[in-house]
Amino acid sequence: MGDVARVPRYAMNIYNSVQVKCNECDEEMEREFYENHYWEDCLIICEFCHIAFNRVDLSVHSCPEEMINCGSDGCSLSFKRKDLEEHLDECRYYILEGFFCLLFYYLIRN
């Protein structure tokens, strides 16, 4: 009980040599190379800046062209990520949050 049947090597070789087609780029390759292709070789276009990345790099890409929200309580503005710093310099909600954080810090220290 609990024994798992082992797949014969010739069956695995046949399975790995089957040709598969990538759903993203339509490239054909043997099955054994698909996973590496999927994560490292297949390029995906960022929908905001239109630059090509592999999936690993795209997952950590903070696109400057992506629309984001301010995030400060009370501010409902949206803008491109690259404009965040400029917005925060002028956002009255962000400035008030910073003021109250400093005030709280001062009060607990004294």
Side-chain angles (χ1 to χ4, degrees):
M1 184 165 184
D3 292 333
V4 176
R6 302 191 92 210
V7 177
R9 180 176 293 275
Y10 71 87
M12 284 304 297
N13 289 342
I14 292 171
Y15 173 76
N16 284 331
S17 66
V18 169
Q19 291 289 308
V20 295
K21 189 175 188 179
C22 177
N23 292 332
E24 298 290 336
C25 68
D26 293 331
E27 184 176 333
E28 290 190 18
M29 69 210 72
E30 290 183 356
R31 165 72 186 90
E32 71 177 307
F33 301 116
Y34 180 75
E35 186 172 354
N36 186 64
H37 167 82
Y38 181 84
W39 289 106
E40 297 180 19
D41 299 331
C42 186
L43 298 180
I44 307 295
I45 306 295
C46 173
E47 65 181 292
F48 306 107
C49 66
H50 308 292
I51 296 175
F53 295 92
N54 66 29
R55 279 179 175 73
V56 173
D57 293 338
L58 185 62
S59 68
V60 295
H61 171 60
S62 292
C63 184
E65 299 297 324
E66 181 179 8
M67 294 298 288
I68 61 170
N69 296 321
C70 173
S72 296
D73 284 339
C75 184
S76 59
L77 291 180
S78 296
F79 40 83
K80 291 183 177 181
R81 183 183 308 278
K82 67 182 179 182
D83 298 327
L84 174 63
E85 190 173 328
E86 180 182 336
H87 169 75
L88 293 180
D89 286 342
E90 301 169 356
C91 178
R92 63 183 175 174
Y93 299 102
Y94 179 75
I95 292 167
L96 283 174
E97 282 180 3
F99 170 76
F100 286 116
C101 285
L102 286 173
L103 180 62
F104 179 73
Y105 178 75
Y106 175 78
L107 290 174
I108 62 170
R109 293 216 30 169
N110 291 319

